[in-house]
Structure formats: structure tokens, C-alpha cells
Amino acid sequence: MSGTSTGQLPDHSLDSFGDAAASATRVTPGNALRPEDIALQQTAPADDAVARYALHLGDDALILAQRLSHWISRGPELEEDVALGNIALDQLGHARSFLSYAGKAWGQTEDDLAYFREEEDFTSLHLVEQPNGDFAETMVRGLFMALYQHQLYTRLVHSADETIAAISAKALKEVDYHLEHAELWTLRLGRGTEESAHRMRRALDKLWPYTAELFQDEPLHDELEGVAVRPSTLRAEWDEQLLDILDRSELAVPEVPAALCWGRRGEHSEHLGYILAEMQVLARKHPGATW
Amino acid sequence: MAEQKSSGGHLAAVRTPEDIAGQRRFEAIIADDSRIEPRDWMPEAYRKSLTRQMSQHAHSEIIGMQPEANWITRAPSLKRKAILMAKVQDEAGHGLYLYSATETLGTDRDTLNNQLLTGRAKYSSIFNYPARTWADMGAIGWLVDGAAIANQVPLCRASYGPYGRAMVRICKEESFHQRQGFEILLELSRGTEAQRKMAQDAINRFYAPALMMFGPSDQDSPNSQQSMAWNIKRFSNDDLRQRFVGMIVEQVKVLGLSLPDPDLRYDEESGQWLHMDLDWDEFKRVVSGGGPCNSQRLARRREAHEDGAWVREAAAAFARKQQNEKNQHDQKAEVA
């Protein structure tokens, strides 16, 4: 409890808090690859295409994290506040790593990219931009994304780009848990009560249209043989795993048409403008400030 | 709060031999400064007092998530966003351990939660003040968590085992929280003019409410004496407040900011920090529901609880189905 003498250098003042051993930013345990490590490393993406690809991955994770974080203090039980907070935090970590890496190609930081890009410069999928809705919608969106990211990162572990491979390896371990969480809730809600099953069917109807975009190939993927995964190649396995989970949950794929979405090209849902307005407001009010 | 249940008083007249032996053992443990464990005999008043204190503490963690969650989506950098998210998540975890520790005294979590939602249980009144700016994330971490730590470190030695052990774990994380709050303010204090102003304004608003977190002065605090006799509380409210003021008065210098207290000075003679008079009328008003955010905080908790009802019912129904299927499977296996 002894106070800090004013003669000390300001940074040493933090020692008076007792737990000066680690940075508060070490939110993930162990020596896992952290966004700070990516920011410090010298390697920049080999070219603009690699950076743009990293941006796709980062933007999906960032917007999903932003959406999920809204559940903290609003979950159906405290355990879910913790679980959804965990998933949001993991996604934010992945986003920070991918954005830090992408930014190196353009001399920009993760924060330059997150806070000072315009809506049309974001490349997120429409699915992650969808509102949280009720818990069923959040779980269906979570299931779709967890299955997708799980397959994607499983393949990206072998990417020719070492940084993308390393970030994916770390992300994969975490997404493994996200998938387990989403699958368990799909089972519980699908087979729980009449009401929960009804809400799940409604959520599937509502969100299914946005799944087609997950598997849409873009000209960018043609430039990244061996580095990127061609999204269309993930579809068959995704469908198979999803059907299996829905089947066990006594749910089915709804018969609704796929929506035309071009988030990768900067054409977003109406929701993204609001998401960014909220996320960016403070940073933009104080341009050039550090926090 | 005042439940008119029969305890103490007339019941003391019909004490069983087990009670008499239990009481003797309890007193010996307290005299020895050892720990009472859940299965040990304890006086009803001890159980009740601890249940009240521990559940209030748990509720404070849960309600305390709200002012900070208010800034997660607007945090000004991704690193700060991650730290804030982790912090608010820790608070949910603290609430969970504390509810579990309270359950060992015989009141279940649903009952405790119900007391919170119906406004019968209290929580720390500081969370009824709004978190208006980003700097409030700093002031809450530094001053509010700082005051909480000053209060809680001695509770690690509380006579009730589960409470003391929960506090050890919680204090470790809280010191992290205080540090991140201080870091936020430090960064702001070295930043632009607008950032410095924001930091000073947050300190100005949170200083007095943080000092009031220690509770009324000892002569006006009815529960303190008994709580100290039971080795739950180790220092008086005023002693803890003193200690806290002594700490922040040094730390604020590092920030190059000031505490909004014209009367603050160290009195060599008494060895005490003298601070301004605190507005205990305001404190009472906020505790009894009249703070700026009391209504909002409870409404949000109720809404989360009500909106989540169908989810909890579905999870329970699914668990029952699983159990039935397992039973049927086991029966078939027996027949075969």
C-alpha cells in the first residue's frame, strides 16, 4: 500500500499496484501469438493481395466481435455473459492480428484500419453484420460462422504465407471452442421447448440467405494460389457438417433463397453504417490522439 | 431487507445440546482467528450477516458490469477494447464465485438473484452513477476498483473460509483492473488538452462517491462492530478510507492531475489524512434508489433475466430429455 514517491520515473509508478508482472493486454494465456507480436514483427505481407486477404479475415472477426460484445451484461445467464464475452474477445484478438498484419503493407496500424476506414473500405461479410436479435439468432449466426472459420483456419494453417498460417493456427484452437459452444446451444434450443425450436427455425430462416456469400470466390482469390483458401471449396464440407448438427437438433435447412451480397467489394448491409458509427465515434472525435 | 423471521431472541431459550456445543466451538474458532467452514455450526445472525454481505458483493460485481459494458463498443482503440472486455468478463466471473460462495451458507442463486431483481437486496451505490466518458473507464478502474481492493484485501482473512478464499482470487484480478484504470488515465493525462480535461473531469466526478464506498463513519455504521467481533471485517470504515486516500494522493501526482478536495491535507499530529466532508445525504439517497442510474441498472438486469427465460427453460428441458434417453437406454441394456 505504500505510495509512489514523486521522484520516480512515471512508468515505475505502476509497480505500486502489486501486480506489475504482466501487461494487462495479455488477455490470452501462455505464449500464444499476440496482436502486439504481429505489430512488432518485421515481416510485411508479400504484396497488396495478401494484405487485402488478411483484411477480409480481420474484418469478419472484428465486426463479429463488435456484435457479440454487446451481449456482455445482457446474457440469459451469467455463464453466457462469460462465454459470449470469451468468444468476442477471441474474435477481437484474431481481428487485431490480421489487421495489424494487413496494415504493414500500407504503413497503417490496426487502429488506423478499424477506426479510420470508411464503410465502403470494409470487407466484412453481411452475415457478421446482422443484428444480434434474440439468443437464437446469435447462436445460429455463431454456428454458421464457427463452422466456416473452423474449416477456413484448418486449411489456412497450411497457407504459404507464414504469418497467416500462424494466426490461423492460434485462431483455430479458439474457434474449436466457439463451434462447440454453438453446436451445444443448437442442440439445446432445437430440442428444448416448442418455443426455443420455433425461435431457432425463425433464426435459420432469417439468416440462411446470408450464408451464400461465405462461399463466393472473388478475383482476389485467383491471385493468391497457395496463400488463400478459395471460399467455394469450403461449401460441401460446411453443408455436410451443418446438416449433421441441424439433424441432431431436429432442425432443417430452410427453403429460402440466397441473398445477393457483395461485402468483400465494400457493398454492405444497412447495418454496418450504424456499427461503425458507434465503434468509431470516440476515436474520430480525437484524431491523432493515443489511448 | 428486514425479514421478520424468528431467529435469535426467543429461540435462544430452547437451544439444543448440539447448539450449545456448536456455539462453544464457533467461539473458540473465532478466538483462535481460524476459519469457519460451511458444515460448521454457526450462529444464525453470523450466517445472515454474511449472506447479506457476500450477496451484496456479488450483486455489485454484476451491476458493476453495466457502466463499463457501456463503453465496450466505443472503446477508442482495439487494445483498450480487448482489455475492457476482459475486465467486464472478469466481473461476471467474480459474481459467479461469490454467488457460489454465498450458496454454501444455504441460500441458492435463484433466491439471491430474485432479491436483486425485486430491489430487496442492495449493491454498491457507486454503480448508480453514469459512466459518461471514456475517462470514466480510467476513473472507475483507478478509484472504484482501488477502493474495492482496499476494502477487500483484509477480507481475504475473513473468518468464513469460502468468502476469504473467493476474495484471494478476486483481489488478484482487481489489482489488474486498478492498474488498467490508472493506465487509461495516465495515457489521457499525457495526451491532448481535451483528453486531459476528460481525465480530470472523471476524477472530479468519481472522487467523492469512491470515498463513500467505504461506508459511513464508524459511529454511524451499525453492522461494523459485530462484523469485527466475528473477524469478518478487520478494519473500520474510516481506517480503510484513510489508507485509500493516502494511496491515491500520491498516485494522482504521477498523473499530474488533482483530487477535487480543497480540504485535503495530512495532519502530522494525528497521522491522518483530513479530507472534505462527504455528502452522506446524497449517499443515502442513492442507496435507497434515488441515484442517477438506479432505475436503469435494475431495469437492464430484469430485462436480461426476462429475455433469457425461454433460453434457460429450453436448456432445462433438453437436460431432462437427455436424462430420460439415458435412463431408457440403461433399462434396455439391463433387459438385454
Side-chain angles (χ1 to χ4, degrees), chain A:
Chain A
M1 289 280 184
S2 68
T4 313
S5 95
T6 46
Q8 276 179 314
L9 284 171
D11 285 326
H12 293 166
S13 65
L14 296 176
D15 296 346
S16 68
F17 289 98
D19 193 347
S23 153
T25 58
R26 287 178 188 267
V27 288
T28 40
N31 298 318
L33 185 68
R34 298 172 309 131
E36 286 81 2
D37 302 327
I38 307 274
L40 287 174
Q41 74 179 19
Q42 298 300 315
T43 332
D47 54 38
D48 195 65
V50 174
R52 284 191 290 137
Y53 184 64
L55 205 55
H56 288 187
L57 302 171
D59 283 347
D60 289 347
L62 177 63
I63 302 302
L64 184 58
Q66 181 74 7
R67 278 298 195 205
L68 283 173
S69 69
H70 190 73
W71 274 105
I72 302 173
S73 78
R74 294 181 172 87
E77 51 194 11
L78 290 178
E79 286 81 351
E80 280 310 300
D81 277 14
V82 175
L84 292 171
N86 245 323
I87 297 173
L89 202 48
D90 289 343
Q91 292 285 343
L92 181 59
H94 310 162
R96 294 183 59 203
S97 294
F98 283 125
L99 294 185
S100 294
Y101 184 52
K104 282 176 172 287
W106 310 305
Q108 293 192 301
T109 65
E110 53 174 348
D111 288 338
D112 294 334
L113 292 172
Y115 292 96
F116 293 94
R117 263 185 306 160
E118 297 303 318
E119 183 180 326
E120 62 270 23
D121 301 322
F122 275 77
T123 63
S124 45
L125 296 164
H126 285 221
L127 180 62
V128 293
E129 297 168 9
Q130 297 307 306
N132 286 338
D134 63 8
F135 190 72
E137 281 176 54
T138 293
M139 286 306 112
V140 168
R141 186 187 63 199
L143 177 67
F144 290 162
M145 279 309 289
L147 265 176
Y148 176 71
Q149 288 178 323
H150 196 272
Q151 290 172 9
L152 184 59
Y153 294 143
T154 301
R155 302 258 299 269
L156 283 175
V157 166
H158 307 291
S159 170
D161 184 283
E162 280 178 19
T163 307
I164 288 181
I167 300 170
S168 300
K170 176 180 188 283
L172 182 59
K173 286 182 203 150
E174 294 171 349
V175 170
D176 208 44
Y177 162 73
H178 306 174
L179 181 55
E180 194 185 308
H181 178 261
E183 182 177 344
L184 193 60
W185 274 111
T186 303
L187 280 164
R188 283 177 182 148
L189 299 179
R191 296 181 52 201
T193 61
E194 222 166 279
E195 182 179 8
S196 67
H198 165 72
R199 285 177 185 261
M200 284 301 275
R201 285 192 295 269
R202 192 172 66 183
L204 284 163
D205 281 351
K206 204 165 161 185
L207 295 169
W208 182 259
Y210 306 107
T211 55
E213 190 191 12
L214 274 57
F215 307 103
Q216 220 158 266
D217 294 338
E218 292 290 330
L220 175 68
H221 300 112
D222 297 334
E223 300 174 43
L224 292 170
E225 205 55 46
V227 171
V229 171
R230 192 173 281 282
S232 59
T233 62
L234 297 169
R235 176 99 222 198
E237 201 185 332
W238 188 87
D239 278 338
E240 192 187 324
Q241 287 190 28
L242 180 74
L243 274 176
D244 172 57
I245 295 170
L246 292 184
D247 198 42
R248 283 185 285 120
S249 309
E250 296 168 12
L251 295 166
V253 168
E255 289 184 25
V256 287
L260 288 169
C261 303
W262 294 286
R264 298 293 188 220
R265 303 178 199 172
E267 295 179 29
H268 293 282
S269 67
E270 289 179 346
H271 310 295
L272 187 65
Y274 292 91
I275 297 173
L276 297 182
E278 185 174 352
M279 184 173 84
Q280 298 177 333
V281 62
L282 180 59
R284 288 189 173 210
K285 204 168 159 188
H286 302 268
T290 55
W291 304 90

Side-chain angles (χ1 to χ4, degrees), chain B residues 49-104:
Chain B
S49 172
L50 267 173
T51 303
R52 182 183 51 82
Q53 182 174 344
M54 290 165 66
S55 62
Q56 278 182 10
H57 192 162
H59 300 328
S60 301
E61 295 282 358
I62 300 308
I63 296 289
M65 293 167 70
Q66 291 184 30
E68 294 179 296
N70 184 37
W71 281 94
I72 291 175
T73 53
R74 291 176 293 169
S77 76
L78 296 185
K79 179 178 136 182
R80 290 282 169 216
K81 191 193 285 288
I83 296 170
L84 187 61
M85 253 193 230
K87 177 178 192 248
V88 181
Q89 200 197 16
D90 278 352
E91 282 153 10
H94 296 175
L96 281 170
Y97 326 140
L98 283 163
Y99 282 128
S100 303
T102 313
E103 284 187 314
T104 64

